[in-house]
Every structure is written in structure tokens, then in C-alpha cells.
Amino acid sequence: MALVLTVAATPALSDATIGGKTVDCYCTDSKGSRVELGETICLQVDGRMFMAQCQMSLNVPMWREVAQGCFSSSLREGLQPSFDPSAVDTHI
């Protein structure tokens, strides 16, 4: 019985190698750049933008939507805080 279980489990152990060579699993972005498993990026598909994470599904790397829209760290110039020099006490 142990021999049968060992032989049956062999295909599951070979997921990371093919012909003795290690297979790197990763996703690619729209420009063809490599994105590692677990990384999250902003994707634009059919005019829709969303946050997607590179994940495995049935031993195939794929993109999974994790949030609607995309995060941004840039501010428009109109949103920058203004500075009023007359509000500063120069005798500190």
C-alpha cells in the first residue's frame, strides 16, 4: 500500500521540475516584463483598470483581481498644500 501511495504522489512532486530542470513560475505584465508570484500590480484590460495579483491556479500562473481601480501615489498640482509665509513666526 505504501508503494502505491508513493507512486501516486510522484506527479505532485514533479510540479517544480521538468526533465530534472527547475521551472520558474511567474506572470507577465502588458509590456512582457516578469512579475513574481504574489506581486500585485495595476492592470488595464478592455479599458478597465484594476489591481491584480499574480497567483497559481491548477499549476498555471494567472492574474486574479484583488481590488477595483488602481492605487496612485501622485497628486495633481492643484491638490498640493499652499504655504502662507505671513503665518510663520520668525522670532522662534
Side-chain angles (χ1 to χ4, degrees):
M1 184 67 166
L3 179 61
V4 173
L5 292 175
T6 304
V7 172
T10 304
L13 298 174
S14 64
D15 289 342
T17 60
I18 294 178
K21 295 183 180 179
T22 301
V23 177
D24 288 334
C25 294
Y26 58 92
C27 298
T28 54
D29 64 11
S30 58
K31 297 176 184 166
S33 299
R34 180 178 174 142
V35 179
E36 299 299 328
L37 289 172
E39 287 187 46
T40 303
I41 66 168
C42 176
L43 285 181
Q44 182 174 1
V45 178
D46 294 331
R48 194 171 75 88
M49 295 177 73
F50 56 93
M51 297 300 293
Q53 184 179 43
C54 178
Q55 297 181 359
M56 292 294 287
S57 177
L58 299 174
N59 295 330
V60 177
M62 51 82 73
W63 289 108
R64 176 159 296 150
E65 182 175 347
V66 293
Q68 294 181 358
C70 291
F71 304 121
S72 175
S73 62
S74 62
L75 292 175
R76 295 190 322 245
E77 287 185 39
L79 296 177
Q80 297 291 337
S82 61
F83 176 70
D84 181 13
S86 65
V88 176
D89 186 0
T90 58
H91 293 42
I92 293 179

